Amino acid sequence: MGNLASSGNLPALQPVPSCETARFMGTWFVIAVKPTYFERTCSNAVEKYTSLFGEESSSNGIDIDIDFQYNQDEDPLTSKLKSLPQSGWVEGKDKKNSGLWKVSPFRPIKMPYIIIELDKDKYDYCVIGYPSRAYVWILSRKPKMEESTYSMLTDRIVSKHQYDLEGLRKVPQIWTKEEREKRGLTKDEVPDKYLKK
């Protein structure tokens, strides 16, 4: 499974020309997804990226620790919290600046993780693509995304990256103060204005 391999007559997905690994680290909320098996009904999906560069953990070749947590069903306030820890590897000549990664939910599988869209100024949003176009992830630094930004990204996913977005689902992001605290998230990550009254 090569990173830039394509399916059928589809061209290879192209990663963004620049993605500073250090700036990409931190918390991302899954806004929408063409889902894997684990994500068909998930809600409050959150990914936390931690660099292992220079750490003892990197001696086994892993570059990034990914803490992926989500609620199992559409209603996050009543459904079970699940966790799927993952490992990441930055590819390319410069591991400090690359939009081409691989991610493993469990060994020995390593899935292509191609950053195809990125807010190059603030790193406030990104889109992760998959060569066959079977999956796509729209991520944001906050649990809500402006509709204009969402529309711009979905348009580019179709027109530039040649996706069919049938099956794309918006991931419910419903937060209370209790849920924020339970997940160890800060007011900066989930501002009070996003909390359910």
Side-chain angles (χ1 to χ4, degrees):
M1 187 185 297
N3 273 358
L4 296 180
S6 61
S7 177
N9 295 322
L10 291 171
L13 283 176
Q14 296 303 313
V16 293
S18 176
C19 176
E20 297 176 38
T21 304
R23 292 186 66 191
F24 195 92
M25 297 299 99
T27 300
W28 290 93
F29 296 84
V30 183
I31 300 299
V33 63
K34 281 192 76 170
T36 63
Y37 173 80
F38 302 101
E39 300 165 304
R40 292 175 183 172
T41 61
C42 73
S43 57
N44 281 16
V46 181
E47 301 178 353
K48 293 184 179 180
Y49 293 75
T50 303
S51 172
L52 299 179
F53 292 139
E55 302 290 334
E56 288 185 10
S57 303
S58 66
S59 62
N60 59 11
I62 298 172
D63 298 324
I64 297 166
D65 175 76
I66 305 169
D67 176 21
F68 176 41
Q69 294 188 15
Y70 60 96
N71 290 87
Q72 184 171 301
D73 299 317
E74 294 273 347
D75 184 352
L77 305 184
T78 61
S79 61
K80 185 177 181 181
L81 180 64
K82 306 281 284 185
S83 178
L84 184 64
Q86 301 177 63
S87 300
W89 293 264
V90 182
E91 301 202 315
K93 295 180 179 179
D94 184 1
K95 285 179 175 286
K96 293 182 179 180
N97 193 323
S98 175
L100 196 57
W101 300 10
K102 281 188 177 178
V103 166
S104 175
F106 43 82
R107 293 181 180 275
I109 293 175
K110 286 186 179 181
M111 297 176 63
Y113 182 107
I114 307 168
I115 303 168
I116 58 174
E117 295 289 337
L118 178 65
D119 173 17
K120 62 182 181 180
D121 295 324
K122 297 182 178 180
Y123 281 55
D124 278 347
Y125 61 76
C126 70
V127 177
I128 310 304
Y130 191 79
S132 70
R133 277 64 164 187
Y135 314 115
V136 72
W137 295 264
I138 299 176
L139 308 181
S140 173
R141 292 295 193 182
K142 296 291 188 286
K144 302 293 182 184
M145 176 179 280
E146 292 290 338
E147 190 60 36
S148 58
T149 302
Y150 181 79
S151 295
M152 176 272 291
L153 291 174
T154 53
D155 286 347
R156 288 179 65 82
I157 290 168
V158 172
S159 63
K160 180 180 177 182
H161 305 292
Q162 299 189 31
Y163 264 86
D164 173 355
L165 290 186
E166 182 178 356
L168 182 75
R169 66 178 291 262
K170 282 193 172 182
V171 176
Q173 293 283 351
I174 305 169
W175 293 89
T176 62
K177 182 179 179 181
E178 292 72 24
E179 286 297 308
R180 181 175 66 187
E181 292 176 353
K182 183 169 72 176
R183 294 282 201 97
L185 296 168
T186 67
K187 287 185 178 182
D188 183 57
E189 292 166 325
V190 184
D192 287 347
K193 68 178 181 179
Y194 295 131
L195 298 181
K196 184 178 180 181
K197 305 298 184 184

